[in-house]
Amino acid sequence: MYDNVLVPTDGSDVSEKAVEHAIHQAKQDGGKLHVLHTVDADTLPSSVSSISVDDEFKEMGEDIVEGVVKQAESEGVEAEGTVISGSSAEQIVKYADEHDIDLIVMGTHGRTGIGRVISGSVTEHVVRSATVPVLVIHIEDPADADDD
């Protein structure tokens, strides 16, 4: 059913849960897993937005992606990884369009109240913009439990 499954990851706990689901789905369908990490320099304070910091974030992203690719391959799933720069939500949707992705699997912290307003939601933007199904793995953020 899903020949190409995309999982954006930042190495967080919620991303790891999404990775588990994405690997399972790709394995179940005999599909290929695409692992994507975005480096968005615009989210950094301008005082630290330098080339060396960007390079460090790219290296960290490459390590994260490589780990997920190895995890998928160890479970018998074909996988490829990519690290790109730019707005996370926009790059996820663009990647999905350009690589014939059939399903995007991504996590959300389940922030509510002020936590959601401050952090925004990459996942929400992807859900609204993607032209393919998006499976959202929801994990409640304990720090936001009082915001309900």
Side-chain angles (χ1 to χ4, degrees):
M1 183 171 194
Y2 299 115
D3 294 327
N4 290 291
V5 177
L6 172 61
V7 62
T9 184
D10 60 7
S12 66
D13 290 344
V14 71
S15 286
E16 289 178 21
K17 292 293 184 191
V19 164
E20 291 172 16
H21 284 273
I23 290 172
H24 174 77
Q25 189 65 56
K27 186 174 186 174
Q28 181 176 329
D29 292 340
K32 180 176 182 178
L33 184 69
H34 295 254
V35 184
L36 180 66
H37 179 86
T38 58
V39 177
D40 188 355
D42 290 340
T43 62
L44 300 173
S46 59
S47 61
V48 297
S49 184
S50 69
I51 293 172
S52 64
V53 171
D54 192 50
D55 288 343
E56 286 182 39
F57 279 112
K58 284 181 183 173
E59 285 179 30
M60 287 179 10
E62 288 168 2
D63 290 343
I64 292 166
V65 166
E66 182 180 326
V68 173
V69 167
K70 285 181 180 178
Q71 180 182 349
E73 290 174 344
S74 75
E75 295 188 38
V77 174
E78 180 185 357
E80 73 175 43
T82 305
V83 176
I84 54 179
S85 295
S87 165
S88 295
E90 291 172 12
Q91 292 301 325
I92 292 165
V93 172
K94 181 178 176 183
Y95 185 96
D97 289 342
E98 292 176 352
H99 292 87
D100 296 320
I101 298 299
D102 302 304
L103 175 69
I104 301 170
V105 181
M106 57 191 305
T108 182
H109 285 284
R111 290 189 175 97
T112 59
I114 194 69
R116 182 167 176 261
V117 172
I118 291 171
S119 68
S121 176
V122 171
T123 304
E124 182 178 351
H125 180 85
V126 172
V127 167
R128 291 176 188 255
S129 303
T131 58
V132 298
V134 180
L135 173 60
V136 178
I137 308 305
H138 176 82
I139 295 180
E140 188 65 36
D141 188 342
D144 290 332
D146 296 332
D147 289 347
D148 291 342

